[in-house]
Amino acid sequence: MTLPGHPYFSFVGSELHAEGCSLRDLAQRFQTPLYVYSRQAMLAALCPYQSALQGRAHLICYAVKANSNLSVLKVFAEAGCGFDIVSGGELERVLAAGGDPAKVVFSGVGKTRAEMRQAIEAGVRCFNVESIAELDVLSEVAVSIGRRAPVSLRVNPDVDPKTHPYISTGLKGNKFGIAHAQALEAYLHASRLPGLEVAGIDCHIGSQITETDPYLDALDRVLDLVEAIEAAGIPIHHLDLGGGLGITYADETPPSADALIGLLLQRLQSRGHAHRELLFEPGRSLVGNAGVLVTEVLFLKPSEQKNFCIVDAAMNDLLRPALYEAHMGIVNCKEATTAPALTWDIVGPVCESGDWLGRERQVAVQPGDLLAVMSAGAYGMSMASNYNSRGKPAEVLVDGQSAQLVRRRETTQELFAHEKPE
Ligand code: LLP
């Protein structure tokens, strides 16, 4: 039986599998907490993007921050993707995974001079620039090494993506992008700087977006600007529409990538912009539902007010519930034969009341059971920390019947290897 919304995770007999691998076997081999990713699920998520854009100039730049494991990056590099990066560290990861720097776009509000130089030297495709001050510095850095940096300006279209405030980025009050009203002036400024070459325009309005209207509104606002900028004599080659497409964690019903892109293409056509090259920067929608976090139940602590199910994964391993009160599905890796008797708060060992993975969940549990936190492929391991001196989880990539350890568990010695008691 496949889990709804998770076609690559299914019960075979009574055991939850990732593709052809039992999560219990993987937990025995690699211990818990353990991130398990399905290669086929990632490729299946990429497919609707590729098919909707087939036959037209485009580049799908996987947003590295969603999951930056080298093996995950390699899956997307081999599938022909480019990458959206936000640091020199992410650039190094992309190169180490065999990614093509000519397909890399560099986003982020606070690039350092060293990162700018590193990215120009690597030959990235484009800098998504977020302020006028950044334009000046980037031009200076490029001139100092005798190069011109390709730029697109990230404009803030001031549309409401209707998502969690911490992951909304396209509203006036956000720190991201150049205000719509300032964008033309910023382009004129960029076109006069000696170290820059205007290549395109960019916007990214937020994350976990489950409706199409915010995208269409943002596209309209961006096209208004493109028309004004080109009328001022600055050609705009590509449109980068960012990432942000949501996934189903519980009962959300986001549009599929091909449905969304179909609508965007129609709008481009009707406004006479069908010829433009399109870039997208999807993260979550490519990897979110391709991963689970497997954790073992340590203790049950029923009480008068609340029943706590204490597991060996914590907020340091998976921060989303603590940080955004995000709902993540949680299932027992062994299909229950009895109805759940109690409602549990699934919590970790970290010393914070905010350390929870799920609240008020009806799930049948016993100490020693394995639980799978679903939809944990995006912003799970990439946001993990060592809080409470906990080593980060191991990561496994499954492909059919085979499972590769793609990051081994950290040892305690590694956690303090850079320190010395003085
Ligand atoms: N492009 C830019 C410029 C971004 O800032 C982001 C995400 C993306 C692309 C990819 O967005 P996606 O397709 O993954 O929605 N930690 C949060 C999400 C933060 C998103 C930050 N920017 C979470 O766990 O929900």
Side-chain angles (χ1 to χ4, degrees):
M1 186 197 70
T2 319
L3 294 182
H6 300 273
Y8 295 88
F9 294 88
S10 54
F11 282 99
V12 180
S14 61
E15 293 285 340
L16 187 56
H17 281 56
E19 300 189 28
C21 298
S22 140
L23 294 180
R24 171 161 301 278
D25 289 350
L26 295 179
Q28 265 160 12
R29 270 172 74 189
F30 304 112
Q31 286 73 56
T32 54
L34 180 70
Y35 276 102
V36 179
Y37 309 127
S38 152
R39 185 171 190 274
Q40 289 175 25
M42 293 180 202
L43 293 174
L46 177 62
C47 216
Y49 279 97
Q50 288 177 322
S51 58
L53 292 164
Q54 205 180 7
R56 70 185 329 287
H58 76 274
L59 185 60
I60 301 162
C61 295
Y62 166 65
V64 173
K65 64 170 83 70
N67 185 327
S68 52
N69 183 286
L70 294 185
S71 298
V72 171
L73 301 183
K74 188 160 170 252
V75 168
F76 291 114
E78 285 175 355
C81 288
F83 296 92
D84 168 52
I85 59 163
V86 290
S87 68
E90 287 191 350
L91 176 56
E92 285 188 42
R93 279 183 175 271
V94 166
L95 298 178
D100 179 356
K103 292 184 182 173
V104 167
V105 296
F106 192 173
S107 303
V109 289
K111 305 171 190 81
T112 64
R113 282 173 191 264
E115 286 175 321
M116 290 174 180
R117 185 183 173 132
Q118 176 193 358
I120 297 172
E121 283 173 346
V124 301
R125 160 147 188 184
C126 194
F127 285 83
N128 290 338
V129 174
E130 303 222 13
S131 62
I132 294 179
E134 184 189 337
L135 283 174
D136 291 328
V137 173
L138 181 60
S139 175
E140 244 176 72
V141 172
V143 168
S144 75
I145 52 173
R147 301 276 288 272
R148 288 183 94 183
V151 293
S152 90
L153 270 62
R154 175 170 176 184
V155 298
N156 186 334
D158 194 25
V159 300
D160 185 355
K162 301 182 188 135
T163 182
H164 190 286
Y166 282 15
I167 50 178
S168 291
T169 51
L171 280 165
K172 259 189 199 155
N174 294 128
K175 71 176 174 183
F176 299 100
I178 294 175
H180 197 266
Q182 274 194 341
L184 177 58
E185 184 196 324
Y187 268 97
L188 289 168
H189 184 66
S191 71
R192 290 192 288 260
L193 287 172
L196 304 185
E197 177 85 55
V198 171
I201 191 163
D202 166 50
C203 79
H204 169 82
I205 54 174
S207 198
Q208 185 54 17
I209 301 169
T210 54
E211 294 175 32
T212 49
D213 280 355
Y215 277 102
L216 290 167
D217 293 348
L219 177 60
D220 271 332
R221 304 269 291 160
V222 167
L223 290 180
D224 293 345
L225 278 176
V226 169
E227 287 162 10
I229 296 161
E230 290 202 327
I234 304 169
I236 298 289
H237 176 68
H238 72 251
L239 302 185
D240 179 343
L241 298 177
L245 181 58
I247 60 170
T248 303
Y249 285 99
D251 50 10
E252 306 91 332
T253 51
S256 63
D258 46 348
L260 172 65
I261 292 172
L263 291 172
L264 293 169
L265 293 178
Q266 268 175 26
R267 184 65 58 95
L268 282 163
Q269 175 94 35
S270 70
R271 292 199 47 174
H273 291 270
H275 58 289
R276 295 196 190 273
E277 180 176 11
L278 282 186
L279 272 59
F280 287 93
E281 303 168 357
R284 187 191 320 263
S285 55
L286 296 184
V287 291
N289 276 337
V292 297
L293 174 62
V294 182
T295 179
E296 185 181 321
V297 176
L298 299 176
F299 308 111
L300 296 181
K301 193 168 154 182
S303 76
E304 241 172 57
Q305 279 209 324
K306 281 242 176 222
N307 301 312
F308 291 105
C309 166
I310 302 164
V311 297
D312 67 358
M315 63 189 286
N316 74 293
D317 305 304
L318 179 62
L319 185 60
R320 302 195 69 257
L323 190 58
Y324 315 114
E325 302 204 342
H327 175 96
M328 324 270 302
I330 298 180
V331 298
N332 196 316
C333 293
K334 195 169 178 64
E335 206 170 20
T337 45
T338 52
L342 293 173
T343 298
W344 300 96
D345 276 16
I346 319 280
V347 302
V350 160
C351 303
E352 300 258 357
S353 297
D355 179 28
W356 55 277
L357 298 176
R359 282 179 171 157
E360 303 194 351
R361 301 302 175 88
Q362 279 226 312
V363 47
V365 278
Q366 297 289 333
D369 280 359
L370 295 170
L371 303 183
V373 184
M374 306 305 295
S375 313
Y379 305 109
M381 185 63 170
S382 61
M383 292 172 76
S385 77
N386 295 116
Y387 189 37
N388 279 205
S389 286
R390 292 167 52 87
K392 287 185 196 143
E395 294 173 288
V396 165
L397 181 63
V398 161
D399 189 5
Q401 310 271 338
S402 95
Q404 300 293 331
L405 182 66
V406 292
R407 179 180 163 120
R408 67 167 172 74
R409 191 171 301 284
E410 282 175 349
T411 65
T412 309
Q413 288 70 30
E414 283 168 332
L415 299 190
F416 53 77
H418 305 291
E419 300 167 34
K420 57 179 175 139
E422 285 288 3

